[in-house]
Every structure is written in C-alpha cells, then in structure tokens.
C-alpha cells in the first residue's frame, strides 16, 4: 500500500530503504483515486519512533492511505523537538470540521496516575467525543484503550503488582469477526504496562465484544459498535528492538525492571531479540483498514 506523507518527514527515507512504498504529496495529487484519510493522535514521548512503527504497520494492503499526525495542545512534549511538531503535526483545532476514515490513538507513559490527573485528559475526552461524529473507526492502543474503556463505558484501570513486560500468547475468542480474520488460534503480541483494565469488567459490558484474550495479559482485543471503536491492550506496532530499548533505558536509570518475558533467546539480553509478532501485527492493521475503514467509509464525506 502506498503511504502518503509529507515529502520531508524523516520516517519516509527509512521506510523507503525498507522497500515500503511511500508516496509524497505531489505524486498523490496526480492519482485519480480517493485515498483513505487516517488521523494518528500520537501521545508517545519520542514521536518519531512511533511514526515509523505505525507507518510500517499500515503499509501492507493495496489501499492508499493519507496520514495526518496530531498531538494534544495542552501538553508540552519534552522528547520531540518543537520544530518537528510544528512542521508535521496539527491539533484538534485544525481539523474540527474535517472527517476522517480512520483514527489511531496511541498509548502514553501516564498509566501510573489516574486519568483525571493527566494534564491533557480533558482534551483527550474532547477528541474522543469529536471522533464519534467525525471518524468512521478509531483504533485505541494500550493506554488509549484503557482511556477509551474508561471514557465510554466507565471501566477504570487497576495497578498490576508487577509490570507486564514482554511477548505473551493470546487466544482468538471469536473467529466470525473480520478483525481477526487470518489470525492463528494462538498468536503473540508485545505488552509493556503497569496497569490493566480488568477482564471481568470488559466481559460484563454488553457494548463490548472480546475477540482475543491472554491467560496472563488479560483481554487483548475488543470491539464495539460494529468496529467503530476497537481496543488493543498491547503494542502490535512495536519493532524488534523497542522492548530492548525500554529495558536498557530503565536499567540505565537504576529502576527495578525484569527482563522482557519470552523476548530474548534463552533470556540472554546480549542476544538479538526474536521478532515473533510481525505477521499478527500486519494482519491486524490490514484487517482494520480493509473491513472497518475502507469498507465502511463513504466515498465522499458530507
């Protein structure tokens, strides 16, 4: 799939070196097709890493996707330069009157405090409410999934006794839903979090349908309103070294951190991590784009 980005976005050159087809604005303007408009609300601190991961994940269908990056205006990012944000990011004020076929809301490193304590929580709620009428389907990832469960259904998160950190097995629970079409019965996915939304509360909510679950990591994938809202508890977009970088970052800070579960061969952190979840990740994002964005969106938004 051609991913359309600004021609000078740093991630573009990296993706092209991976033989991923990235189209700039000039070429896209000369194609007589209707690209999908996907908005990415990037709450992660190092935004360039997440840009690359998500663009890579969206690159595996024949659909053309026009990606717009958004950030919240009520929080100052300390790990991404202001020049990068000013050049490549917009805020809700810039797109209030625009409709999008899909939206991805990323996680954020704020899970150890309550939602109301997050300095941009009110703005997050405003964006969630705006998406109800301006976005065909929204994919919530990790903390954003917990935030969505809380905002829409009043289901609060809880603190885990120990960080959930590593690669975990999950079982498909409902094969009839297109989002999990092509999944193996058991698949692997990364997690990196200190909190969870209780599985029993998700199962008890009539608005939510659980599609995949782990005996250790809890509910991984849930869907609501026929795919208008999708919740992913883990990080399928992570690349091979993301958990490795998080692990060594915490070690360097002197924090108490266990070695990522089921990640390094023989639990030896000097070994190259095994990439065990890429096929599942590609399948998830491709199914989302095809069945819940492309198949559901109108050709022209009115």
């Amino acid at each position: 799939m051609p991913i359309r980005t600004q021609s000078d976005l740093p991630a573009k050159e990296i993706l092209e070196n991976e033989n991923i087809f990235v189209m700039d604005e000039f070429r896209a303007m000369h194609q007589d097709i209707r690209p999908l408009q996907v908005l990415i609300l990037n709450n992660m601190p190092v935004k360039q890493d997440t840009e690359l991961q998500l663009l890579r994940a969206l690159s595996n269908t024949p659909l053309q996707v026009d990606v717009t990056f958004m950030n919240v205006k009520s929080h100052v990012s300390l790990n991404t330069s202001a020049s990068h944000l000013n050049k490549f990011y917009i805020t809700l004020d810039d797109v209030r009157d625009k409709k999008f076929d899909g939206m991805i809301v990323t996680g954020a490193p704020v899970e150890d405090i309550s939602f109301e304590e997050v300095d941009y929580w009110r703005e997050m709620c405003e964006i969630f409410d705006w998406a109800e009428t301006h976005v065909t389907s929204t994919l919530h990832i990790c903390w954003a999934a917990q935030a969505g469960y809380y905002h829409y259904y009043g289901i609060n998160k809880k603190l885990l006794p120990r960080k959930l950190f590593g690669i975990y097995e999950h079982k498909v629970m409902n094969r009839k839903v297109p989002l999990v079409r092509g999944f193996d019965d058991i698949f692997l996915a990364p997690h990196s979090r200190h909190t969870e939304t209780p599985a029993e509360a998700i199962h008890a909510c009539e608005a939510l349908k659980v599609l995949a679950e782990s005996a250790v990591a809890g509910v991984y994938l849930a869907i609501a309103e026929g795919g208008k809202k999708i919740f992913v508890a883990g990080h399928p977009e992570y690349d091979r070294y993301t958990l490795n970088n998080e692990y060594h970052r915490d070690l360097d800070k002197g924090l108490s951190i266990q070695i990522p579960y089921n990640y390094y061969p023989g639990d030896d952190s000097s070994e190259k991590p095994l990439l065990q979840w890429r096929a599942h990740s590609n399948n998830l994002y491709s199914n989302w784009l095809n069945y819940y964005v492309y198949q559901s969106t109108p050709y022209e938004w009115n």
Side-chain angles (χ1 to χ4, degrees):
M1 165 180 61
I3 298 287
R4 178 183 170 187
T5 67
Q6 290 173 256
S7 58
D8 49 355
L9 182 74
K12 180 175 181 288
E13 182 178 356
I14 299 173
L15 292 168
E16 288 175 334
N17 289 334
E18 297 177 8
N19 293 320
I20 292 174
F21 184 14
V22 184
M23 182 183 297
D24 62 25
E25 306 104 315
F26 178 80
R27 181 169 181 180
M29 287 173 60
H30 291 78
Q31 290 196 326
D32 188 21
I33 62 173
R34 153 72 157 88
L36 296 175
Q37 300 291 326
V38 173
L39 181 67
I40 299 178
L41 174 56
N42 188 356
N43 295 314
M44 294 296 280
V46 184
K47 300 195 185 302
Q48 294 95 324
D49 290 350
T50 305
E51 292 164 10
L52 180 60
Q53 291 166 6
L54 288 175
L55 290 175
R56 187 185 288 127
L58 294 172
S59 67
N60 289 283
T61 80
L63 304 169
Q64 181 177 319
V65 178
D66 188 345
V67 174
T68 301
F69 288 103
M70 181 166 74
N71 66 320
V72 292
K73 65 180 181 180
S74 48
H75 175 78
V76 177
S77 178
L78 300 178
N79 300 94
T80 302
S81 70
S83 62
H84 185 87
L85 295 174
N86 291 335
K87 189 171 188 177
F88 299 112
Y89 280 72
I90 54 91
T91 67
L92 179 60
D93 290 339
D94 300 308
V95 292
R96 283 187 186 277
D97 298 325
K98 187 174 180 180
K99 301 291 183 74
F100 286 88
D101 305 310
M103 181 167 77
I104 298 172
V105 186
T106 75
V110 293
E111 56 178 313
D112 57 341
I113 61 176
S114 70
F115 294 114
E116 288 81 6
E117 290 180 278
V118 176
D119 58 2
Y120 51 89
W121 177 244
R122 287 187 178 181
E123 187 174 358
M124 285 293 298
C125 294
E126 185 181 9
I127 292 170
F128 283 154
D129 292 339
W130 169 85
E132 293 271 43
T133 53
H134 289 75
V135 178
T136 300
S137 177
T138 300
L139 189 68
H140 308 73
I141 302 172
C142 199
W143 177 82
Q146 297 179 353
Y149 286 138
Y150 183 63
H151 178 70
Y152 293 119
Y153 313 111
I155 307 174
N156 209 343
K157 63 184 178 180
K158 69 176 184 181
L159 187 66
L160 293 169
R162 181 182 182 186
K163 184 178 183 180
L164 189 73
F165 188 47
I167 311 301
Y168 296 87
E169 286 190 349
H170 306 79
K171 182 179 181 180
V172 174
M173 308 299 291
N174 194 325
R175 283 209 163 273
K176 294 183 180 180
V177 179
L179 188 62
V180 292
R181 187 166 291 170
F183 279 33
D184 293 330
D185 289 340
I186 302 293
F187 64 91
L188 297 171
H191 289 265
S192 178
R193 51 188 167 88
H194 294 275
T195 58
E196 70 172 4
T197 303
E200 59 272 16
I202 297 174
H203 280 286
C205 181
E206 293 184 358
L208 294 165
K209 179 182 291 185
V210 174
L211 302 184
E213 191 166 6
S214 167
V216 178
V219 172
Y220 174 71
L221 188 60
I223 191 170
E225 299 177 37
K228 183 171 179 60
K229 299 182 181 72
I230 294 169
F231 306 93
V232 185
H235 282 285
E237 78 284 357
Y238 271 11
D239 62 31
R240 182 191 302 272
Y241 288 102
T242 307
L243 292 179
N244 174 78
N245 295 340
E246 290 183 9
Y247 176 60
H248 287 285
R249 176 201 64 196
D250 288 354
L251 284 180
D252 291 342
K253 290 181 178 179
L255 301 176
S256 176
I257 180 69
Q258 73 270 22
I259 195 166
Y261 173 75
N262 191 29
Y263 181 56
Y264 298 111
D267 281 344
D268 184 349
S269 62
S270 67
E271 293 287 329
K272 181 179 180 179
L274 296 176
L275 185 57
Q276 308 173 79
W277 62 93
R278 177 60 56 79
H280 148 258
S281 175
N282 290 342
N283 205 353
L284 174 64
Y285 284 98
S286 295
N287 285 349
W288 174 64
L289 281 174
N290 185 35
Y291 297 116
Y292 301 95
V293 180
Y294 175 69
Q295 300 289 351
S296 300
T297 195
Y299 185 82
E300 291 184 2
W301 276 103
N302 294 319

